[in-house]
Amino acid sequence: MNVLLLGSGGREHALAWKLAQSPRLGKLFAAPGNPGIAEHAEIVKLDAGDHRAVVDFCRRHAVDLVVIGPEGPLVDGLADNLRATGFAVFGPSRAAAQLEGSKGYTKDLCARYGIPTARYARASDRLAAEAALQEFGAPVVIKADGLAAGKGVVVAATDDEALAALDLMFDGGLGAGGAVVVEEFLEGEEASFFALADGETVVPFGTAQDHKRVGDGDTGPNTGGMGAYSPASIVTAAMSERVMSEIIEPTMRAMAERGAPFSGILYAGLMLTAEGPKLIEYNVRFGDPECQVLMMRLESDLLALMDAAAHGRLAEEEAPRFSRDAALTVVIAAKGYPGTPERGGAIRIGDVGEAKIFHAGTAIAGDGLVAVGGRVLGVTARGATVAEARAAAYAAVDSIDFPSGFSRRDIGWREMARGGWRGDGGAC
């Protein structure tokens, strides 16, 4: 099979690395790619926003499957245009991608179909948002309604912080699209739950726990993710069954009822509360850096699973298999992130042992590797326990010479506090 992978981040590098291991793979193309992806794919110049150019490329190169990594092209309807011209796509339609493209859409869907989530109010202007703040009180969660590259969520501990968040979203952008969602603050622990779907069949596809705050101890502003580990043992087998029956499966039925059946990967950000799991938000693609730890643990043929999902044959495939090992990713970011990152910093990668370095914001300049983005590298390792995976990942981090980079030093701290994953907790 010839495959076109769209995207340029650490998520796409992890997907390219895993796709390249499939015996079914013929030629792997990637656009725009990055230096890490180039180790596994032929990099091509192609703008995912130019749908006609993507279709023409697929025709010229006999592409059998298009894998759309980031959310932007999905929300923009690229999958629809490819399918309309006869190409198989791993990723949802524009209508189904609203689950990520509009947080208000998803909250309304949850309310209508009884899917557990936080109480909320939608506001399309500043005055309505301020009224909602008075109703909820602090602490409160404020979300930009549109896409915001993982940074459109503010957890405001005080009224002043909440008002500052409104300033940012209505005056500073952040993808708010002229609207926000104001939510009650939920108590509990967050976890990431993934499900693979083909429009009818849906199966679990692993768990992880992300670290959104930029600083150690979960301090500082939210980022796109500073690290992750998998599995999240707090999502036990019993909890996974609840998530599937109370959140994922009702969502699938709701989308089918609305004429927008979901296919691809559905990523549920969860809060595990005293009352049970509640949906924080949906993403309609793999998370980054959660994808990196999932791919390190996945033992199934990724291409076979993606192809089955794209063709509505998921029920015919063996359920996804994951190693009992744990995996952990440490993100190395450029100084200044999540604000304005320093660009051009030289990177020298030393002996990283069995760890895998997934490139995110890198480029080749002259004979060397340099940073060109906020999150630059995802250093990922496996181990029989979270402690082993973490030790291997940080040993690799310490072998990388990147003076203008930084990382958190406490990735996996919650799991370590619980004693660490040992492959016996029933999580996937």
Side-chain angles (χ1 to χ4, degrees):
M1 294 178 59
N2 293 337
V3 178
L4 171 62
L5 172 64
L6 297 175
S8 62
R11 167 184 50 227
E12 288 77 30
H13 186 184
L15 293 176
W17 173 73
K18 197 66 183 179
L19 287 168
Q21 298 171 28
S22 173
R24 301 189 186 192
L25 182 67
K27 182 75 173 181
L28 179 60
F29 303 98
N34 64 40
I37 295 173
E39 297 174 6
H40 313 288
E42 178 181 330
I43 303 300
V44 296
K45 292 184 178 180
L46 200 58
D47 178 6
D50 187 342
H51 295 191
R52 177 173 292 182
V54 175
V55 169
D56 288 345
F57 178 89
C58 292
R59 285 175 174 154
R60 292 196 309 273
H61 294 86
V63 169
D64 299 292
L65 178 68
V66 181
V67 177
I68 303 175
E71 62 274 19
L74 294 167
V75 173
D76 192 39
L78 176 58
D80 303 70
N81 286 332
L82 283 164
R83 290 189 179 108
T85 49
F87 294 100
V89 183
F90 183 80
S93 66
R94 181 203 298 265
Q98 288 184 86
L99 287 170
E100 179 169 0
S102 171
K103 293 180 175 61
Y105 174 91
T106 297
K107 298 296 286 189
D108 289 349
L109 181 141
C110 289
R112 178 172 178 180
Y113 291 92
I115 298 167
T117 190
R119 290 188 304 111
Y120 74 102
R122 299 181 69 174
S124 57
D125 59 58
R126 176 65 183 256
L127 288 177
E130 290 182 359
L133 290 180
Q134 292 180 358
E135 175 187 349
F136 285 95
V140 66
V141 181
I142 304 169
K143 299 178 178 179
D145 191 35
L147 298 179
K151 293 177 279 188
V153 178
V154 175
V155 180
T158 66
D159 291 341
D160 286 344
E161 288 181 9
L163 292 173
L166 294 186
D167 289 339
L168 180 66
M169 293 185 185
F170 282 106
D171 302 328
L174 267 187
V180 299
V181 174
V182 181
E183 294 184 1
E184 70 169 323
F185 176 79
L186 292 176
E187 295 281 357
E189 187 168 341
E190 291 188 41
S192 302
F193 188 96
F194 297 83
L196 184 66
D198 67 1
E200 293 186 3
T201 301
V202 59
V203 295
F205 198 82
T207 64
Q209 192 168 70
D210 190 13
H211 298 63
K212 286 293 186 187
R213 300 283 188 169
V214 72
D216 286 2
D218 291 334
T219 57
N222 274 335
T223 71
M226 293 299 295
Y229 64 89
S230 174
S233 67
I234 194 171
V235 186
T236 61
M239 181 62 73
S240 179
E241 290 178 3
R242 287 194 65 179
V243 173
M244 288 296 292
S245 64
E246 298 175 19
I247 297 176
I248 303 296
E249 291 169 356
T251 299
M252 292 295 163
R253 291 193 293 269
M255 296 306 289
E257 182 179 308
R258 293 181 171 207
F262 186 92
S263 69
I265 199 79
L266 185 62
Y267 163 13
L270 305 174
M271 184 69 76
L272 306 183
T273 73
E275 295 80 33
K278 295 188 178 183
L279 179 69
I280 299 173
E281 64 183 18
Y282 275 132
N283 294 319
V284 298
R285 37 70 191 183
F286 283 105
D288 187 343
E290 295 95 336
C291 186
Q292 289 87 312
V293 288
L294 289 174
M295 292 305 107
M296 285 290 281
R297 295 183 57 237
L298 181 64
E299 295 181 336
S300 300
D301 184 331
L302 177 64
L303 179 53
L305 289 170
M306 287 182 161
D307 187 53
H311 287 94
R313 295 185 280 99
L314 201 52
E316 302 171 17
E317 286 288 324
E318 181 185 4
R321 299 187 319 278
F322 288 88
S323 167
R324 300 299 291 174
D325 282 356
L328 184 141
T329 292
V330 178
V331 169
I332 304 181
K335 290 179 181 177
Y337 180 76
T340 302
E342 293 185 20
R343 297 171 63 92
I347 304 166
R348 298 176 185 83
I349 298 175
D351 181 5
V352 297
E354 295 185 2
K356 179 65 182 174
I357 310 300
F358 292 114
H359 292 232
T362 67
I364 299 295
D367 295 329
L369 194 67
V370 298
V372 294
R375 292 183 296 168
V376 179
L377 299 172
V379 182
T380 308
R382 270 175 55 168
T385 66
V386 169
E388 288 183 12
R390 173 170 152 150
Y394 276 112
V397 167
D398 292 339
S399 75
I400 296 172
D401 181 17
F402 179 22
S404 60
F406 73 97
S407 65
R408 282 182 58 163
R409 300 296 302 190
D410 64 346
I411 301 303
W413 70 268
R414 289 184 183 274
E415 200 67 31
M416 297 295 291
R418 280 190 284 266
W421 168 253
R422 294 181 176 83
D424 55 2
C428 65

